[in-house]
Amino acid sequence: MHAAIVSFHIIICIAMILTVLLQTGKGADMGAAFGGSSQTVFGSSGPGTFLGKMTTFIAIFFMLTSLWLAYASTHKTSSIMEGASVPGVEQTIPTDEGAPLPAPVKEKSD
């Protein structure tokens, strides 16, 4: 699931880059405005273009996948070390059932 969201996020990133680069800038018609064009330079540009609406739609999905990936990275429920065994040396201590236990060592008090 995580890999699918990351792949979808990368595709959205590429799509957003392309849609932003395909749009014309706000100041692209500035030269025409001073030449007597009826379009306003800094005012309303009329209804949104298809690329503008598509950029908004892609940006919403980009933010949603970004938030999901940030949440998923901080709330992991599993670990990659889960189920891994720790290699160690197994030693057996020989015991004699009738042998006495060693006497505890007493510290000298000065």
Side-chain angles (χ1 to χ4, degrees), residues 4 28 41 48 52 57 85:
V41 177
F57 182 72
S85 64

Side-chain angles (χ1 to χ4, degrees), residues 4 13 15 18-19 40 43 49 55 58 60 62 64 76 88 90-91 99:
C13 290
L18 292 175
T19 56
T40 59
T49 62
T55 303
I58 290 173
I60 289 170
F62 175 78
L64 289 176
K76 288 185 177 181
E90 191 172 313
Q91 295 180 354

Side-chain angles (χ1 to χ4, degrees), residues 13-56:
C13 290
I14 293 169
M16 187 162 50
I17 290 169
L18 292 175
T19 56
V20 167
L21 290 177
L22 286 175
Q23 294 181 36
T24 58
K26 293 268 185 196
D29 296 328
M30 190 174 282
F34 291 116
S37 176
S38 63
Q39 293 179 345
T40 59
V41 177
F42 300 108
S44 174
S45 61
T49 62
F50 173 72
L51 282 176
K53 291 178 182 179
M54 193 163 98
T55 303
T56 304

